[in-house]
Amino acid sequence: MHNKIDHFAIGADTLDQGIIAMAQALGVEVPRGGKHEAMSTHNCVMQAGNESFFELIAIDPEAPADPGRTRWFSLDEPTTQARLAERPRALCWVVGTDDLDGVLAASPVDLGEVVLFTRGDRSWRLTVPRDGSLPMGGLLPAFIEWSPGPHPSTGQQDLGVTLEQIQLSHPDPDALTKVLEALNVDHLADVQEGPAALSFALNTQKGSVILD
């Protein structure tokens, strides 16, 4: 089983809010990406080094208000919406795997159902809890398995922003680490003791930047 960072998501109240905030924080304008019709969301994306990408995601005001299921990344939760109204926030990290079924079989926690998405000639399978929640509030990653072909990041713009580290904080770091070990992703994140929190350390032209 080969697991690596696939992408990481920053949620925003609107994409315009997120684009402005990221320009101030990172010194670049994240290019607009595409729409997720199954979730009534849309995004902006850019490369983040090592065949991974940065995603800025928001509810799509032009899409149906009810996509027929709860949106991913907890975007329908009032608490998340209130936090995003204040400013963009780190929501989720996503691990790419070549054995999604093996990940699910070995997981000590419920990672959600596997949903198949398609766009053009590419498809991907992603773990998405039915209620739209994030496992352990986003401290545990979602898992994705892409159809054969180049990683999507290879077609995205490289604006000089790279991921340095996924940072996790938890009151019981040993317990969190054990779950990460069972998922074979403990090598992909730094775990510290403290209030439950997710943040991304990025290397940018403005220096090191933490997005939380």
Side-chain angles (χ1 to χ4, degrees):
M1 182 186 298
H2 178 65
N3 296 335
K4 67 180 293 290
I5 300 297
D6 186 87
H7 66 280
F8 52 99
I10 297 290
D13 187 46
T14 67
L15 277 191
D16 287 341
Q17 175 220 44
I19 290 171
I20 292 171
M22 292 305 100
Q24 294 172 343
L26 308 177
V28 299
E29 183 171 314
V30 190
R32 290 186 181 268
K35 296 176 179 287
H36 313 107
E37 294 181 0
M39 296 289 175
S40 289
T41 57
H42 57 169
N43 67 7
C44 296
V45 293
M46 64 179 173
Q47 290 186 24
N50 194 33
E51 290 197 343
S52 70
F53 65 92
F54 174 111
E55 177 179 36
L56 179 65
I57 190 166
I59 293 174
D60 183 0
E62 297 179 353
D66 181 5
R69 62 165 295 148
T70 305
R71 291 179 179 85
W72 50 14
F73 297 156
S74 75
L75 288 173
D76 282 330
E77 293 182 8
T79 299
T80 296
Q81 292 178 352
R83 294 176 70 235
L84 297 185
E86 296 173 354
R87 64 173 176 85
R89 307 276 185 169
L91 283 187
C92 182
W93 53 301
V94 183
V95 169
T97 183
D98 58 359
D99 185 7
L100 184 57
D101 294 326
V103 168
L104 293 173
S107 178
V109 299
D110 183 10
L111 298 173
E113 61 181 335
V114 175
V115 181
L116 176 66
F117 297 88
T118 60
R119 179 181 292 154
D121 60 354
R122 294 302 301 273
S123 65
W124 63 98
R125 301 167 68 215
L126 178 71
T127 57
V128 184
R130 186 67 194 175
D131 63 0
S133 63
L134 293 167
M136 290 189 70
L139 296 183
L140 298 184
F143 286 84
I144 192 169
E145 186 176 51
W146 292 95
S147 61
H151 189 264
S153 64
T154 60
Q156 298 168 2
Q157 290 190 45
D158 180 358
L159 299 180
V161 175
T162 57
L163 176 66
E164 291 182 337
Q165 192 175 65
I166 302 289
Q167 299 179 334
L168 308 176
S169 174
H170 191 269
D172 189 345
D174 291 339
L176 174 58
T177 298
K178 287 181 180 179
V179 178
L180 296 174
E181 288 174 347
L183 294 170
N184 192 29
V185 296
D186 54 297
H187 60 294
L188 299 178
D190 178 67
V191 180
Q192 299 292 332
E193 183 174 0
L198 166 68
S199 60
F200 309 127
L202 307 178
N203 183 39
T204 78
Q205 295 180 1
K206 298 179 70 172
S208 182
V209 175
I210 305 294
L211 298 180
D212 59 10

